[in-house]
Amino acid sequence: MFEDYASGMGAAYDEMYDATDLRTPYRQLQPSLQEMGPAELQTRVEALQSSYLDQGVTFDIGGEERAFPLDVLPRVIEMDQWAKVEAGVQQRVATLEKFLADVYDAGEVLNDGVVPRRVITTSSHFHRAAAGIEPPNGVRVHVSGIDLIRDDDGEFRVLEDNVRVPSGVSYVMTNRRAIAAALPEVFAEHRIRPVAGYPQKLLTALRAAAPAGVTDPNVVVLTPGVFNGAYFEHALLARTMGVELVEGRDLECRRGRVMMRTTQGLEPVHVIYRRVDDEFLDPVHFRSTSLLGCSGLLNAARAGNVTIANAVGNGVADDKLVYTYLPDLVRYYLGEEPILNNVDTWRLGDADHREEVMDRLDELVLKPVDGSGGKGIVIGPHATRAELDELREKVLADPRSWIAQPVIQLSTVPTYVNGVMRPRHVDLRPFAVNDGHRVWVLPGGLTRVALGEGELIVNSSRGGGSKDTWVLAGKSRPVIRVEPERVLPHATPQDVGPALESFSSQQDQQQQQVSTGSTDGADETTEEQPC
């Protein structure tokens, strides 16, 4: 399976091989897969794909529901490498919290000239309606997803910040369960930090954000509905947290308070984990025709009677132009140097930057500052002359709306393609939860992989898939052992569903017994229902 792998490696940093030598994290994984053999692995791959479709682990692309592509080979990250990622994400979230509190209140960062005022006021995600709303525990970024890549030297760099409604954590949990069931013997050979505790961490953070004086808050997950591409995740999180999954029509505001319609009558709602974009959340203040939110939510939040997580207006921190100022913001708010560096970026609103970029359009990557899901990105070396001419016109017409970055060869990881392992580009989205006292980073996060050869855009909407991400624990940790008779080594698509559920229950119990290396015990897990 790995015979011709090295021949496909390009200039990018490969996470498994250093030239022809195996890197440390993969020295145990690669021989185990070799012993399994191509035929056996192919059988497990087919069972894995069928199980995801049968369980409804899907995403929407162009109106078509598809099974989320999961590669059978996990991505492995050593503990010391993860420690830097964890510290960098925590620093990033702490900075963004202070920045958002500042721009929606005193605006000292603007008065001091660290960020030009026009950068904020011209952002499409800066909502004046959110100004002056004080979260009960000071948290605006309850959940964040910070996208990272590894450069040519193997160093992690921040590609972008997601602090509005970051998605994908459901795939982290389901990927872990599926791979543990598909490769039980390989999984048992590694000491892997668990991910099953995420729902409890999230619920704890949401309850901690309840309005003052509420001792037993009622938490709900607000979804746009079953036709949303991430509905699977909304339903999974609501179920694993043990809270209600609601739509806008299930809520109403009365006298500055939010109520939920139930068969027993109206019940108060204190915390809303919303998965609805700002523009559709409250028809009173935003899009008046929206049926996805509830009229009066923002007024209830301003009155201190409900907490909206993540906070309305967080999108200004997601603006890719604001992203370019993050290193300065870290120094300004925390008095520290950034642990994780940004990717080099040109601001096209700056005349000097724009002039340089216009001469190098065919060499650079241009991104719209408010884009998401890979939409609107133009990779210069892959674009036609007509596409570059059209891009030039767009940039010159509205330069503030664009940034430029060098073409970065994202690191590669072995990926199962047509019976062999081939290098494919990946990124990483670690998820962090802020409860007001500590920013907890889920050990692993979502690895997205570009399945096409040479493809650099990893988004699922562009044909990308995912991998289970293993963060290795320290040497002192006990190995998680799996009872062979509880899993099916030669599983068929019909067998893998029950096996996965059985294994999931067993695995949750075992993972609770494994400490995760954190000195304060913050990564201990709790029981979670099988997916």
Side-chain angles (χ1 to χ4, degrees):
M1 288 184 290
F2 291 90
E3 283 183 359
D4 298 323
Y5 183 83
S7 64
M9 291 166 51
Y13 177 88
D14 188 79
E15 298 189 16
M16 187 170 188
Y17 282 100
D18 179 6
T20 57
D21 295 330
L22 275 172
R23 298 189 191 275
T24 303
Y26 290 88
R27 287 179 181 170
Q28 198 168 12
L29 177 63
Q30 193 257 17
S32 298
L33 293 175
Q34 289 283 57
E35 291 176 7
M36 190 179 302
E40 174 63 21
L41 187 60
Q42 179 62 33
T43 299
R44 302 192 190 193
V45 167
E46 292 172 357
L48 185 65
Q49 294 170 345
S50 297
S51 72
Y52 256 33
L53 189 60
D54 293 342
Q55 295 175 75
V57 185
T58 61
F59 71 101
D60 181 89
I61 177 169
E64 180 183 352
E65 202 75 12
R66 301 183 185 178
F68 193 67
L70 171 61
D71 185 60
V72 70
L73 188 74
R75 181 188 195 178
V76 187
I77 300 176
E78 286 189 297
M79 191 174 182
D80 59 344
Q81 297 172 337
W82 181 255
K84 181 177 180 179
V85 170
E86 184 176 44
V89 170
Q90 289 171 334
Q91 182 190 61
R92 195 93 174 181
V93 173
T95 301
L96 291 170
E97 285 280 13
K98 291 181 178 295
F99 170 72
L100 287 166
D102 193 1
V103 297
Y104 284 111
D105 190 21
E108 293 178 359
V109 69
L110 311 180
N111 297 333
D112 292 339
V114 180
V115 177
R117 189 176 298 273
R118 67 179 181 278
V119 169
I120 303 302
T121 58
T122 58
S123 172
S124 61
H125 298 296
F126 175 66
H127 297 308
R128 289 173 174 81
I133 297 179
E134 293 290 339
N137 65 340
V139 176
R140 287 173 167 81
V141 185
H142 304 81
V143 180
S144 57
I146 309 298
D147 288 352
L148 308 177
I149 56 100
R150 297 183 81 168
D151 61 18
D152 294 344
D153 298 321
E155 290 295 318
F156 282 100
R157 288 177 176 263
V158 179
L159 188 62
E160 63 180 48
D161 305 292
N162 298 278
V163 295
R164 279 177 284 173
V165 283
S167 63
V169 74
S170 61
Y171 301 122
V172 177
M173 296 185 289
T174 54
N175 286 356
R176 174 60 52 83
R177 292 173 182 270
I179 295 301
L183 303 175
E185 63 272 66
V186 179
F187 191 85
E189 292 172 351
H190 294 76
R191 298 180 177 90
I192 306 164
R193 295 179 65 178
V195 299
Y198 179 87
Q200 187 59 43
K201 288 288 185 182
L202 176 58
L203 180 60
T204 299
L206 295 175
R207 290 176 62 86
V214 178
T215 57
D216 187 19
N218 190 13
V219 179
V220 300
V221 176
L222 176 61
T223 176
V226 296
F227 296 107
N228 183 267
Y231 181 77
F232 165 79
E233 175 162 303
H234 308 164
L236 176 65
L237 289 176
R239 181 166 58 82
T240 52
M241 288 193 293
V243 304
E244 294 292 340
L245 179 67
V246 301
E247 298 181 26
R249 59 189 176 182
D250 300 319
L251 304 177
E252 66 175 79
C253 293
R254 291 190 175 188
R255 298 178 181 177
R257 298 183 183 277
V258 181
M259 310 297 289
M260 175 176 60
R261 297 185 179 93
T262 73
T263 56
Q264 305 298 319
L266 294 177
E267 292 184 5
V269 173
H270 305 108
V271 182
I272 301 174
Y273 178 44
R274 53 83 175 234
R275 300 303 297 265
V276 176
D277 289 339
D278 287 350
E279 290 76 9
F280 300 92
L281 191 61
D282 187 341
V284 173
H285 294 279
F286 302 113
R287 188 172 298 191
S288 60
T289 58
S290 173
L291 300 176
L292 302 180
C294 175
S295 298
L297 282 185
L298 216 58
N299 293 339
R302 187 179 300 281
N305 295 324
V306 70
T307 299
I308 301 174
N310 284 351
V312 175
N314 277 12
V316 68
D318 283 359
D319 190 305
K320 293 181 179 62
L321 186 55
V322 173
Y323 156 91
T324 67
Y325 292 92
L326 251 294
D328 294 329
L329 293 176
V330 172
R331 301 181 187 101
Y332 178 76
Y333 288 116
L334 305 182
E336 303 170 355
E337 285 299 311
I339 297 172
L340 297 173
N341 293 320
N342 280 8
V343 173
D344 295 338
T345 307
W346 288 267
R347 304 165 185 152
L348 298 193
D350 183 298
D352 293 336
H353 287 198
R354 187 167 62 252
E355 182 179 358
E356 179 180 354
V357 170
M358 289 297 100
D359 291 336
R360 300 176 55 195
L361 275 183
D362 58 344
E363 302 174 12
L364 303 173
V365 177
L366 270 75
K367 300 179 179 180
V369 297
D370 58 356
S372 61
K375 298 176 182 177
I377 293 178
V378 178
I379 301 177
H382 299 169
T384 65
R385 175 55 55 187
E387 289 172 335
L388 292 178
D389 290 341
E390 181 183 358
L391 175 64
R392 186 185 305 274
E393 293 179 4
K394 290 181 178 179
V395 171
L396 293 177
D398 186 12
R400 189 260 183 248
S401 296
W402 294 87
I403 60 168
Q405 295 174 335
V407 177
I408 299 176
Q409 294 295 324
L410 312 182
S411 62
T412 55
V413 173
T415 303
Y416 190 74
V417 180
N418 298 325
V420 295
M421 297 296 176
R422 305 298 297 169
R424 292 294 184 263
H425 296 289
V426 296
D427 74 353
L428 177 65
R429 176 175 290 182
F431 291 90
V433 176
N434 186 3
D435 62 7
H437 299 286
R438 180 178 184 271
V439 177
W440 175 78
V441 182
L442 179 68
L446 178 65
T447 288
R448 299 181 296 181
V449 54
L451 298 177
E453 184 173 1
E455 178 63 61
L456 295 175
I457 298 180
V458 300
N459 303 82
S460 58
S461 59
R462 300 286 291 271
S466 71
K467 286 176 169 285
D468 188 17
T469 308
W470 292 2
V471 174
L472 300 182
K475 294 181 180 179
S476 61
R477 304 180 186 285
V479 174
I480 299 174
R481 295 299 178 187
V482 180
E483 300 176 14
E485 64 272 17
R486 295 295 299 278
V487 281
L488 306 178
H490 301 282
T492 65
Q494 291 74 27
D495 295 330
V496 77
L500 177 58
E501 183 170 349
S502 173
F503 185 86
S504 297
S505 177
Q506 172 194 357
Q507 193 61 31
D508 281 350
Q509 296 173 10
Q510 291 175 322
Q511 286 188 342
Q512 289 176 32
Q513 301 170 8
V514 180
S515 64
T516 62
S518 177
T519 55
D520 59 3
D523 292 332
E524 295 175 0
T525 64
T526 55
E527 187 77 356
E528 178 188 4
Q529 296 298 316
C531 296

